[in-house]
Amino acid sequence: YCQASKIAKPLLQNLKVQESKLEKAMSELAEAESQLEAAMEVKRQLQEQFDAAMAGKKELEDKANATKRKMDQANKLINGLAGEKSRWTDQSNQFADQRKRLVGDVALTSGFVTYCGPFNSEFREKLNTEVFLTDTHKRG
């Protein structure tokens, strides 16, 4: 027994030392794992904030692109209607001139119709094409 005791006793003491080292290492591991879990939780929260910010950024970019498209379409429409403005102005002036001449034109036409009433249709057609229309075209 003495012989076995001499061999086993230092091994048992070494076992106790190694077990205490293991226990210390396990407590350090548990502490490191708790720190890792805390860091992972912080990382998860930051990732959620990042994802929310990126979703907001994408939404804003989409709205900006949609607004830009609408603005481009509006500019095209405005540019297309710019040429129409000059045409409308000219046409408005022409209508004003026609309105000024309307009473005279009606009087002239009614006088011609009254004058041509007693003649036959061939003579009225000849007066209309050769005299009346050429005279009205000359006067504008």
Side-chain angles (χ1 to χ4, degrees):
Y1 173 79
C2 189
Q3 200 68 344
S5 176
K6 284 182 182 177
I7 295 174
K9 194 171 188 180
L11 288 176
L12 286 175
Q13 287 175 347
N14 189 21
L15 177 63
K16 285 182 184 179
V17 169
Q18 294 302 324
E19 282 178 347
S20 69
K21 285 182 181 179
L22 176 63
E23 195 174 301
K24 184 179 175 185
M26 290 303 281
S27 68
E28 287 176 0
L29 176 63
E31 184 180 328
E33 284 178 345
S34 69
Q35 288 177 353
L36 176 64
E37 287 207 21
M40 291 300 284
E41 179 63 23
V42 168
K43 180 193 174 268
R44 185 189 61 76
Q45 290 174 354
L46 290 174
Q47 186 66 42
E48 286 176 0
Q49 289 176 356
F50 176 76
D51 291 343
M54 291 305 287
K57 178 188 168 207
K58 182 175 179 351
E59 184 178 328
L60 286 175
E61 285 176 344
D62 291 344
K63 283 182 181 179
N65 288 337
T67 303
K68 186 179 183 315
R69 279 193 308 273
K70 287 179 184 177
M71 189 174 72
D72 289 342
Q73 290 173 342
N75 284 335
K76 285 179 185 176
L77 179 63
I78 288 170
N79 291 336
L81 292 177
E84 291 295 310
K85 181 182 178 186
S86 63
R87 187 181 67 84
W88 290 339
T89 304
D90 293 342
Q91 200 167 27
S92 173
N93 292 335
Q94 288 175 358
F95 288 148
D97 289 341
Q98 284 178 350
R99 203 174 96 209
K100 287 179 188 175
R101 291 182 291 170
L102 181 63
V103 174
D105 291 347
V106 169
L108 184 63
T109 305
S110 62
F112 178 77
V113 169
T114 303
Y115 174 75
C116 291
F119 300 118
N120 63 16
S121 65
E122 293 89 20
F123 189 68
R124 279 192 304 245
E125 184 64 33
K126 182 179 177 183
L127 282 176
N128 185 29
T129 56
E130 292 178 8
V131 177
F132 184 69
L133 288 179
T134 56
D135 185 49
T136 56
H137 287 295
K138 277 191 238 174
R139 295 172 189 248

